[in-house]
Amino acid sequence: MQGIQINKIDDNFYRSLEINLPKPDLADNEILVQVHYGGLNYADLMMCNGSYPHPKGYPLQAGIEFSGIIVKCGSEVQKLSVGDRVAGFSENAGAFSEFLSVPQDSVTKLIEEVSLEDGAAYYVQTTTAFHLLNTIGKVQANDIVLIHAIGGGVGLNLTQLAKHAGATVVGTVGTSGKEKRPLECGADLVLDRTKHDFTNEIQQKFGKTPVRLLIDSTGAEILNDSFDLMQNLGHVVSYGEASGKPYDNLWSQLVLRSLTFSRLHIGHINHQSEEWTHAQITIQELIKNGELKLFIEHIFLLNDFDLAYHALDSRKVSGKILLKLK
């Protein structure tokens, strides 16, 4: 079968399209999926440069997010059947290959109104956004929510879900031009950090410490500056450190206003939990009803995988990038 493989020679990484990869074996609790679409995430880029090495080591069949159709079930699989349309997350990677075997708990069955394209586009980003806001952040109507990197894929989902909950949404972007889509999604204020002192402008519009919930993927200086905006007993939820780890003064910043600090990795939520099931049902219903828009920036053929990786690495895209395998 064909698939993308990440290779490592000494300290150098490179990607290649392999045409003779072995078809995966199937354990009793696993399903075999014919992959139709793979969803590209920043974690995929980081696995290619060594900053987020996969524990399986290299060479590594690439890809963690996918959608497709089940073609075979192990003997212990109970809730899924051959022919089911599913989307999922592969802890062992391999999602950018024509066939993928994963535990049955790693996928969600798609309802009829959610396409395979949408399945690969929503599974990681929208699910992450939902849990950041609801499972961890406990967003409430009338909250002021500050979202950094609001123009990215997770940010656009956060914006729509927070507005759906009745919150006021304020955000920042680090690339000029990325303000447009979050504003189209209902954000109340979006600031370009390269042109504005975001703390000062937010304080002028909403007051000295207006933010109850901060969702951050930047870390470092941007996170540190944001503490000046937090209400007493506010909540800071981190899901990335694109600009660097939080500064060493994190504890003193939290103590100053009795803040809560949380760090979410989506893989740490039990896929069989009520929280996970509720998120999947809610997200698919929102897509079905047209209340959640998925921005698919581009769909690349598998042969054009390098173009897909470079497009994401440019940080100029606002929506999801997919690889088409079927």
Side-chain angles (χ1 to χ4, degrees):
M1 68 173 184
Q2 291 191 99
I4 306 303
Q5 184 165 280
I6 306 171
N7 304 284
K8 180 183 179 184
I9 298 179
D10 297 325
D11 291 327
N12 299 312
F13 296 81
Y14 66 95
R15 301 179 293 267
S16 61
L17 175 60
E18 303 292 332
I19 60 174
N20 291 313
L21 292 172
K23 199 170 181 179
D25 296 326
L26 191 67
D28 290 341
N29 70 330
E30 291 185 330
I31 56 172
L32 183 66
V33 178
Q34 184 173 26
V35 178
H36 284 232
Y37 294 93
L40 202 59
N41 296 280
Y42 281 107
D44 295 301
L45 295 178
M46 296 166 72
M47 288 179 197
C48 290
N49 62 24
S51 61
Y52 185 52
H54 196 282
K56 285 183 67 175
Y58 299 87
L60 176 73
Q61 290 183 35
I64 56 175
E65 182 183 23
F66 64 92
S67 67
I69 297 176
I70 298 175
V71 294
K72 189 175 181 180
C73 294
S75 60
E76 296 178 2
V77 174
Q78 297 180 344
K79 298 179 181 179
L80 298 165
S81 303
V82 170
D84 284 347
R85 300 160 59 254
V86 296
F89 178 84
S90 176
E91 286 280 0
N92 289 322
F96 299 163
S97 298
E98 291 179 294
F99 292 92
L100 172 68
S101 61
V102 291
Q104 60 181 326
D105 296 344
S106 298
V107 302
T108 294
K109 188 174 178 179
L110 298 176
I111 62 175
E112 182 179 350
E113 295 84 359
V114 177
S115 68
L116 287 170
E117 293 97 326
D118 287 344
Y122 96 72
Y123 201 79
V124 169
Q125 291 184 343
T126 313
T127 303
T128 297
F130 187 94
H131 287 295
L132 286 167
L133 282 171
N134 296 284
T135 307
I136 308 298
K138 307 296 184 186
V139 66
Q140 301 292 324
N142 301 319
D143 277 347
I144 293 181
V145 181
L146 172 58
I147 303 167
H148 291 307
I150 195 172
V154 176
L156 295 175
N157 282 284
L158 285 166
T159 301
Q160 295 177 80
L161 293 171
K163 292 302 295 183
H164 189 264
T168 296
V169 174
V170 180
T172 74
V173 298
T175 302
S176 295
K178 278 197 167 184
E179 306 96 326
K180 182 179 179 181
R181 276 191 175 168
L183 289 170
E184 291 174 351
C185 290
D188 298 276
L189 176 67
V190 180
L191 298 168
D192 180 352
R193 295 190 304 271
T194 67
K195 299 177 180 178
H196 300 277
D197 178 345
F198 73 88
T199 56
N200 182 57
E201 297 220 15
I202 292 171
Q203 286 173 334
Q204 286 187 20
K205 186 172 180 64
F206 296 102
K208 187 175 181 181
T209 55
V211 176
R212 207 284 297 175
L213 178 61
L214 165 63
I215 309 290
D216 179 62
S217 62
T218 60
E221 182 179 4
I222 299 166
L223 172 61
N224 192 61
D225 291 345
S226 302
F227 284 112
D228 290 340
L229 298 168
M230 298 301 298
Q231 296 177 3
N232 290 344
L233 305 179
H235 196 164
V236 178
V237 186
S238 166
Y239 69 103
E241 295 83 24
S243 298
K245 293 181 180 180
Y247 288 166
D248 291 340
N249 67 345
L250 177 61
W251 183 85
S252 60
Q253 291 277 35
L254 298 176
V255 169
L256 187 64
R257 295 195 176 98
S258 297
L259 303 177
T260 299
F261 184 88
S262 302
R263 177 63 164 85
L264 176 67
H265 183 293
I266 194 67
H268 293 157
I269 298 177
N270 183 349
H271 289 202
Q272 297 306 298
S273 66
E274 291 183 8
E275 291 89 352
W276 187 271
T277 301
H278 172 65
Q280 295 303 315
I281 292 172
T282 303
I283 291 167
Q284 291 199 43
E285 282 297 312
L286 289 172
I287 295 171
K288 170 186 172 182
N289 296 332
E291 297 176 84
L292 179 69
K293 183 175 181 180
L294 301 175
F295 294 90
I296 298 176
E297 190 84 13
H298 200 99
I299 300 176
F300 290 90
L301 297 177
L302 190 60
N303 288 341
D304 296 324
F305 69 95
D306 255 338
L307 294 176
Y309 274 82
H310 287 309
L312 184 62
D313 198 25
S314 73
R315 296 189 178 271
K316 295 180 180 179
V317 296
S318 292
K320 189 73 176 182
I321 293 176
L322 301 181
L323 285 173
K324 182 176 173 61
L325 288 93
K326 173 65 176 174

